[in-house]
DNA sequence: AAAAAAC
């Protein structure tokens, strides 16, 4: 409570009275001292109270509810093989599939020394393995709402014995139109239960949801929801829209960024940028809602393993995702929703590390910038970024930088312009081994995946014994990206 | 104006 000196150095996880099997897992995870939200939430959840939690993701929120939930379920943990002895007792709902997967991995690791079973269900993947797991029985279920309801309908999930419900990123779920699904799910749960609601903001809608479904909740607020971490250096770069791709490459190179998430506002934009970056020698892949779940998971896993330099993402990756030691986030586009800015840059500077949030701002994004500054209540450092002329080949005798020395020279300059896109930032790859293609080809030829991407997909295909059933006759390029967009939509709508 | 999520 003492607001003067929070000294976590003296605090340990031992103080909560958690079972040795849980503490062992916590230690193995490398955690020694509880974060502020953990220190506040764990005792309250252990006491069985409802919680309204406002916490930035990355503050240790997942453990703050997972650990006490495991503790509360522990006395009922059955080692029996009978599914009937393993009803769903705790249900954790998240807005995105990746977040569900991540929370599930955390829960799994915290519960690994106990007899409690956990599982995760979300859409976009085969239902059968999920159904099989549910049939065998799990005490802790992590889910996205749609697929959970699907399982309920198929009678593979029974929510009649849920004692604890967690709504993670509740504001996001409402934003995404999950309210009807949430209401349906809530109606399937026992009235007598504990409910924990976590949200970045306490909007009117969230308060209404809480008033309807929570019982005298304890409010826990650690960091002000609209604040941004002080360990994240935020810089805005003024740059022409057409120079953005070059700017991303330049920032990655100049700052020697080992890994970076680059956020775009649209799925197509993300795919395009990933392709452009690859062309400029940055190992990149896209993650967004138009890619298959398999591709999304592969992209994220490869990124976490460090095999990919730039993960180009839509806001599907803005919230909650925990990537260790991510040194920087780049906003290729400024988000339309200022709150998303806070979430995006929250992907870096996690667990006390420092991070850079680098945002590109074109002249037509000034309003978004103003909105963000208003939300975070402070002006951002705005710098002008001069994007170098596209890097040229070593063996080229003259720098393409237009020297304007004579009039006979600009013939090449005009040739370069021919057919160049308005966003002409990718005229020349700067790696010698890159074959020089006419700019036109770049737009007309179907996407060609990088050798690294091809290898990854082949590995994955070999590993998962071809689970694709419908429409599996796509070429590799199509499997890889939503990249090779048809030039003209001849398709049926 | 765009993103996400069940089939």
């Amino acid at each position: 409570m003492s607001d003067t000196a929070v000294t976590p150095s003296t605090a340990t996880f031992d103080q909560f009275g958690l079972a040795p099997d849980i503490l062992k897992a916590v230690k193995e995870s490398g955690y020694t001292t509880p974060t502020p939200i953990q220190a506040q939430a764990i005792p309250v959840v252990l006491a069985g109270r409802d919680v309204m939690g406002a916490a930035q993701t990355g503050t240790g929120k997942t453990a703050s509810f997972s650990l006490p939930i495991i503790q509360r379920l522990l006395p009922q943990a059955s080692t029996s093989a009978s599914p009937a002895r393993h009803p769903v007792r705790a249900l954790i709902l998240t807005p995105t599939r990746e977040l569900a997967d991540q929370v599930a991995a955390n829960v799994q690791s915290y519960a690994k020394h106990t007899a409690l079973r956990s599982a995760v269900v979300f859409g976009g993947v085969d239902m059968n393995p999920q159904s099989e797991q549910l049939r065998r029985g799990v005490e802790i279920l992590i889910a996205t709402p749609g697929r959970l309801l699907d399982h309920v309908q198929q009678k593979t999930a029974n929510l009649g014995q849920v004692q604890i419900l967690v709504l993670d990123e509740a504001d996001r779920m409402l934003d995404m139109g999950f309210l009807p699904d949430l209401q349906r799910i809530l109606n399937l749960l026992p009235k007598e239960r504990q409910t924990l609601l976590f949200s970045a903001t306490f909007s009117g809608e969230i308060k209404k949801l809480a008033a309807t479904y929570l019982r005298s909740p304890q409010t826990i607020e650690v960091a002000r929801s609209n604040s941004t971490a002080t360990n994240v250096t935020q810089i805005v770069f003024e740059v022409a829209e057409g120079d953005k791709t070059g700017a991303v490459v330049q920032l990655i190179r100049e700052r020697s960024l080992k890994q970076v998430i680059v956020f775009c506002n649209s799925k197509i934009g993300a795919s395009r940028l990933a392709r452009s970056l690859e062309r400029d020698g940055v190992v990149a892949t896209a993650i967004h809602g138009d890619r298959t779940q398999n591709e999304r998971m592969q992209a994220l896993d490869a990124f976490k393993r460090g095999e990919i330099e730039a993960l180009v993402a839509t806001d599907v990756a803005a919230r909650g995702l925990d990537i260790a030691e991510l040194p920087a986030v780049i906003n290729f586009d400024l988000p339309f929703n200022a709150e998303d800015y806070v979430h995006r840059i929250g992907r870096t500077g996690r667990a006390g590390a420092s991070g850079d949030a680098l945002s590109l701002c074109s002249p037509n994004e000034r309003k978004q910038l103003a909105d963000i500054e208003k939300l975070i209540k402070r002006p951002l450092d705005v710098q002008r970024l001069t994007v170098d002329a596209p890097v040229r080949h070593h063996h080229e005798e003259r720098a393409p930088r237009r020297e304007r020395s004579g009039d006979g020279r600009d013939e090449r300059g005009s040739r370069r312009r021919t057919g160049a896109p308005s966003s002409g930032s990718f005229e020349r790859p700067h790696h010698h081994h890159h074959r020089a293609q006419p700019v036109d080809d770049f737009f007309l030829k179907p996407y060609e995946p990088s050798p690294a991407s091809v290898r990854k997909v082949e590995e994955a295909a070999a590993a998962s014994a071809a689970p694709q059933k419908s429409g599996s006759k796509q070429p590799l390029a199509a499997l890889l990206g939503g990249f090779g967009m048809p030039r003209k939509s001849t398709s049926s709508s």
Side-chain angles (χ1 to χ4, degrees), chain A residues 13-14 17-28:
Chain A
F13 280 98
D14 298 332
L18 296 168
D21 284 343
I22 300 175
L23 290 173
K24 191 175 161 196
V26 170
K27 281 204 183 72
E28 286 168 6

Side-chain angles (χ1 to χ4, degrees), chain A residues 367-409:
Chain A
K367 167 147 188 352
Q368 282 120 288
L369 179 58
D371 287 349
I372 290 164
E373 291 178 323
K374 191 174 157 199
L375 179 74
I376 65 175
K377 296 190 180 72
R378 71 183 185 85
L380 286 168
D381 176 15
V382 180
Q383 303 178 9
R384 181 164 287 279
L385 181 69
T386 309
V387 179
D388 294 342
V391 190
R392 43 234 159 252
H393 288 89
H394 246 295
H395 56 265
E396 276 183 355
E397 49 172 18
R398 291 157 308 193
R401 189 181 300 140
R402 11 182 224 110
E403 295 270 351
R404 286 282 142 227
S405 53
D407 10 21
R409 278 184 168 281

